């Protein structure tokens, strides 16, 4: 069964908090519910205590899908990582969230408006094996508690390109799931449909966002930062860019889980409610065409 969710980043950005900074959480939740989304991912405006979070979501009938964790496994071992993420994991468990979004952020530049993507960190060849081992240990630990770790490849981090994703998957065990992000894959030079085909059995979460080709090409040509690219409109909702969604969902035949629209834009330029509705309608049509809805 597929459920369609949304990340609040279209209303209120986590990495550049001036984008949508004045938008109340209640506005995001009410508009998400009005569109028809079944759940939301966590953002910085959400309560982080189970009872308060449930009270915030319940009036809108929304589930807590998951939330992002910034990892530091290039700096410390799995036991230390579990200590850092304990409160986050416990919150997701209490809310019945099936997956935990993990991204290694050691040296990451995606939150720095002044850092061009050409300066993103690269994984040293000798670091892949210990990193993969530690990540597998963390994933096995969360899975033993009922929550699947899904790795989020992301622009401006050590896992950005197709080669990075392949290395990550080769160096980790089956407890480590892959979060397929169509927008980050496309911009990072990977074919999301090919990733879906190759890693079908390890994909347990999907982020659906589209990419505006002209903005992406200009960002690459002029060596923009991730955040400048976002402000300029590199990302948009499904159906409004270059991603071949019919091919992606054809490759995900049999997938069961959440598909979440996560399309960060400047809400002053892209009305969050209008774009959320557009993305939802397109996504439902794509899923239906692939026999997934």
């Amino acid at each position: 069964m597929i459920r369609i969710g949304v990340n609040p980043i279209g209303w209120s950005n986590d990495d550049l908090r001036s984008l949508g900074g004045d938008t109340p959480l209640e506005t995001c939740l009410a508009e998400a519910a009005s569109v028809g989304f079944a759940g939301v991912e966590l953002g910085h405006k959400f309560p982080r205590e189970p009872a308060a979070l449930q009270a915030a979501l319940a009036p809108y009938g929304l589930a807590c899908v998951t939330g992002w964790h910034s990892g530091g496994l290039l700096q410390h071992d799995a036991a230390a990582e579990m200590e850092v993420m304990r409160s986050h994991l416990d919150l997701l468990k209490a809310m019945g969230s099936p997956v935990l979004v993990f991204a290694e952020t050691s040296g990451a530049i995606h939150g720095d408006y002044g850092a061009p993507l050409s300066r993103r960190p690269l994984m040293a060849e000798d670091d892949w094996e210990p990193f993969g081992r530690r990540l597998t240990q963390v994933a096995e630990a969360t899975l033993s508690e009922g929550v699947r770790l899904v790795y989020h490849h992301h622009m401006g981090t050590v896992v950005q390109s197709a080669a990075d994703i392949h290395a990550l998957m080769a160096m980790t065990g089956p407890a480590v799931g892959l979060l397929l992000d169509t927008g980050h894959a496309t911009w990072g030079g990977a074919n999301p449909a090919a990733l879906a085909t190759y890693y079908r059995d390890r994909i347990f979460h999907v982020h659906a966002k589209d990419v505006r080709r002209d903005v992406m090409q200009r960002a690459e040509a002029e060596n923009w930062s991730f955040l400048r690219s976002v402000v300029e409109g590199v990302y948009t909702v499904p159906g409004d860019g270059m991603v071949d969604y019919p091919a992606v969902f054809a490759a995900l035949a049999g997938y069961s889980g959440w598909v979440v629209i996560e399309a960060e834009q400047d809400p002053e330029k892209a009305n969050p409610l209008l774009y959320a509705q557009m993305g939802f309608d397109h996504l439902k049509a794509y899923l239906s065409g692939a026999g997934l809805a």
Side-chain angles (χ1 to χ4, degrees):
M1 182 181 70
I2 286 184
R3 302 176 76 188
I4 300 177
V6 69
N7 190 293
I9 204 164
W11 284 266
S12 183
N13 196 286
D14 284 334
D15 294 319
L16 187 60
R17 296 190 179 184
S18 60
L19 297 182
D22 295 332
T23 303
L25 175 62
E26 292 75 17
T27 298
C28 166
L29 299 179
E31 293 187 351
S34 73
V35 169
F37 292 106
V40 291
E41 294 191 346
L42 297 176
H44 71 277
K45 293 182 178 178
F46 286 70
R48 293 291 168 151
E49 190 277 327
L53 179 56
Q54 184 59 45
L57 296 176
Y60 307 99
L62 294 167
C64 174
V65 179
T66 185
W68 166 289
H69 172 73
S70 295
L73 285 172
L74 289 174
Q75 310 298 322
H76 53 232
D77 63 16
E81 192 68 49
M82 288 299 296
E83 289 184 19
V84 172
M85 70 189 295
R86 172 48 58 189
S87 63
H88 183 57
L89 175 59
D90 286 347
L91 176 62
L92 296 181
K93 288 166 56 180
M95 299 303 294
S97 304
V99 296
L100 180 152
V101 175
F102 186 105
E104 179 65 29
T105 57
S106 298
I109 60 167
H110 63 286
D112 185 345
Y113 194 95
L117 279 169
S118 61
R119 286 169 41 193
R120 68 106 171 181
L122 299 175
M123 186 83 78
E125 191 67 31
D126 292 343
D127 286 339
W128 277 113
E129 189 280 328
F131 173 73
R133 175 166 30 84
R134 293 171 180 173
L135 183 59
T136 300
Q137 290 169 346
V138 171
E140 290 172 346
T142 68
L143 192 57
S144 73
E145 298 187 37
V147 181
R148 168 81 66 173
L149 182 151
V150 288
Y151 193 94
H152 193 335
H153 53 98
H154 198 288
M155 299 297 292
T157 73
V158 291
V159 183
Q160 170 180 297
S161 68
D164 297 334
I165 296 169
H166 293 316
L168 171 82
M169 301 307 284
M171 292 295 180
T172 54
V176 177
L178 179 66
L179 187 164
L180 176 63
D181 187 300
T182 56
H184 284 283
T186 299
W187 190 7
N191 181 328
L195 291 176
T197 299
Y198 200 74
Y199 297 115
R200 170 65 190 80
D201 292 340
R202 291 180 69 180
I203 293 172
F204 294 96
H205 199 56
V206 177
H207 276 176
K209 59 173 163 277
D210 223 325
V211 178
R212 294 185 174 97
R213 187 188 302 272
D214 59 333
V215 182
M216 181 187 74
Q217 291 175 339
R218 188 176 175 200
E220 293 173 347
E222 299 182 19
N223 198 23
W224 289 352
S225 68
F226 175 74
L227 287 179
R228 180 180 176 187
S229 304
V230 166
V231 170
E232 296 289 344
V234 69
Y235 285 142
T236 184
V237 296
D240 190 38
M242 62 186 286
V243 174
D244 184 352
Y245 277 100
V248 171
F249 289 125
L252 284 174
Y255 173 78
S256 178
W258 286 94
V259 177
V260 174
I261 292 179
E262 189 210 36
E264 54 265 58
Q265 301 190 75
D266 182 348
E268 294 296 322
K269 300 176 181 177
N271 181 278
L273 176 57
L274 294 179
Y275 273 83
Q277 187 70 64
M278 181 197 310
F280 182 83
D281 292 343
H282 287 158
L283 191 54
K284 283 198 70 174
Y286 292 137
L287 291 170
S288 178
L292 293 173

